[in-house]
Amino acid sequence: MVRKKPVSRRALVQRNDLLRLGQAKLAELLAEQISALPYHRQKEWARRHLPDRPSGGSASGSRPAALLDEIEAFCAESRSGAFVSWEDDHGWDGGHDLSDDGGEFEEWIELFTDLIKGALELTRSGGHTEAASAYRLLLRLLEEAGETTDILGNHGAPEDSISLDFGKVIEAYARSLLASRSGRSVDEVITEVLPVAKKFRYAGGYMGLARALNAEGKERLKARLSRSIEAEVRTDRLGSPAGVEGLIALARVRKNQSEVLALKERFASRNAVYLKVLSHCKHHPD
């Protein structure tokens, strides 16, 4: 087989041509070209060429109304199927844009991550009502994205690809609900956040909720979890009730290691991990 000689490419635009444009005009044209790239490609360019620029954050910064508009638009675009792509045994099939080799999933992950960071910034700056709405919208979308292929295709649970501390996200969610203008009671906040904490129980979900509550709130959460555990145990299910992780998280937040071990001992017959922990503690008491 005779290999074809590569075709030489002539540089149409030279360095001196760009220098003659002037710094301001060149910056304007470059920004225009970069903004036309997919979001994750823009972040890649910024990381490479603007190392001192703060990473993350939404385009609207911490402006509450603008951030919520951005999140609502993102949720609508997600549910329209704009980020759907498929992965088979041989890799990507290209999704909607065959030229982007499956970049839709990465694009969604980057956008979601930065919007959550925008919500966290709202919590830090005291915009609790808007922050609570932001968490609610985004975490609901995340749940949907893991349950249906209509949003992201067949990539499985998207949270596995998201570089966020979900324990801190859930803590901020609960704190913003407690401090928001809606005046929600502790029980109402627990009711809203508990399902999310349960979903992310192995990623610090229960710990985040426990940290956000005061002493009275922790007792209310403990009572709620204890009732759910008793109800599950009565059904004779073989597995360990999810609420046990919640009680363990509460004990850890209170720095009560003896209670942590007591809970694991109580439910060891239903959880092989607890058995291993207890065995380790028995042989290494210190």
Side-chain angles (χ1 to χ4, degrees):
M1 179 178 178
V2 180
R3 297 182 63 184
K4 292 183 179 180
K5 185 178 180 180
V7 179
S8 61
R9 295 182 179 179
R10 180 184 175 189
L12 182 63
V13 178
Q14 303 292 332
R15 181 176 182 272
N16 287 338
D17 296 326
L18 298 176
L19 290 174
R20 281 195 293 270
L21 290 174
Q23 185 176 358
K25 183 61 176 179
L26 184 58
E28 178 185 345
L29 291 173
L30 182 59
E32 181 181 332
Q33 292 295 315
I34 294 171
S35 64
L37 295 172
Y39 186 71
H40 69 284
R41 300 297 185 204
Q42 293 182 49
K43 290 192 68 175
E44 182 180 318
W45 190 95
R47 280 192 294 264
R48 183 178 301 172
H49 300 290
L50 304 173
D52 297 329
R53 181 179 182 272
S55 61
S58 68
S60 57
S62 58
R63 291 172 291 160
L67 179 63
L68 286 178
D69 287 345
E70 197 176 345
I71 289 172
E72 288 173 356
F74 173 66
C75 290
E77 189 177 9
S78 297
R79 294 186 175 103
S80 75
F83 297 98
V84 171
S85 63
W86 304 93
E87 191 176 21
D88 57 25
D89 294 339
H90 305 288
W92 303 101
D93 77 349
H96 288 191
D97 183 354
L98 295 176
S99 66
D100 196 28
D101 65 3
E104 295 88 350
F105 180 72
E106 184 178 352
E107 178 86 344
W108 191 92
I109 294 296
E110 293 284 359
L111 284 164
F112 180 92
T113 300
D114 281 357
L115 289 170
I116 282 283
K117 288 179 179 178
L120 290 168
E121 182 57 35
L122 279 182
T123 296
R124 283 190 288 268
S125 62
H128 294 295
T129 299
E130 294 81 4
S133 296
Y135 297 124
R136 189 180 298 118
L137 289 168
L138 289 169
L139 291 171
R140 187 176 298 163
L141 178 67
L142 179 62
E143 183 177 4
E144 289 179 32
E147 292 176 346
T148 175
T149 58
D150 295 340
I151 293 176
L152 292 174
N154 64 340
H155 298 280
E159 58 265 25
D160 294 341
S161 301
I162 297 173
S163 298
L164 284 172
D165 184 334
F166 280 100
K168 290 183 178 179
V169 171
I170 290 165
E171 178 181 358
Y173 182 13
R175 288 189 185 280
S176 282
L177 281 171
L178 289 165
S180 67
R181 294 188 299 270
S182 62
R184 290 181 174 232
S185 69
V186 173
D187 285 324
E188 289 173 322
V189 170
I190 292 174
T191 296
E192 179 167 336
V193 180
L194 189 54
V196 186
K198 178 181 177 180
K199 176 178 174 60
F200 293 102
R201 61 187 179 277
Y202 298 121
Y206 283 131
M207 288 285 288
L209 176 55
R211 287 194 300 262
L213 299 172
N214 60 17
E216 179 186 358
K218 287 181 176 66
E219 286 302 317
R220 289 177 180 272
L221 176 59
K222 183 176 181 179
R224 182 87 63 97
L225 291 169
S226 297
R227 288 195 297 270
S228 69
I229 291 169
E230 291 172 6
E232 286 192 50
V233 169
R234 282 198 299 269
T235 63
D236 292 328
R237 293 180 182 177
L238 296 177
S240 176
V244 175
E245 290 295 326
L247 292 182
I248 290 173
L250 278 168
R252 282 178 172 158
V253 168
R254 290 167 163 163
K255 302 186 184 305
N256 190 338
Q257 185 61 21
S258 61
E259 185 177 354
V260 171
L261 292 175
L263 284 164
K264 290 184 176 182
E265 186 173 6
R266 177 184 170 192
F267 292 97
S269 62
R270 294 170 175 263
N271 191 312
V273 174
Y274 295 169
L275 281 172
K276 290 181 180 179
V277 171
L278 292 170
S279 176
H280 176 82
C281 291
K282 180 178 180 181
H283 292 93
H284 303 84
D286 295 332

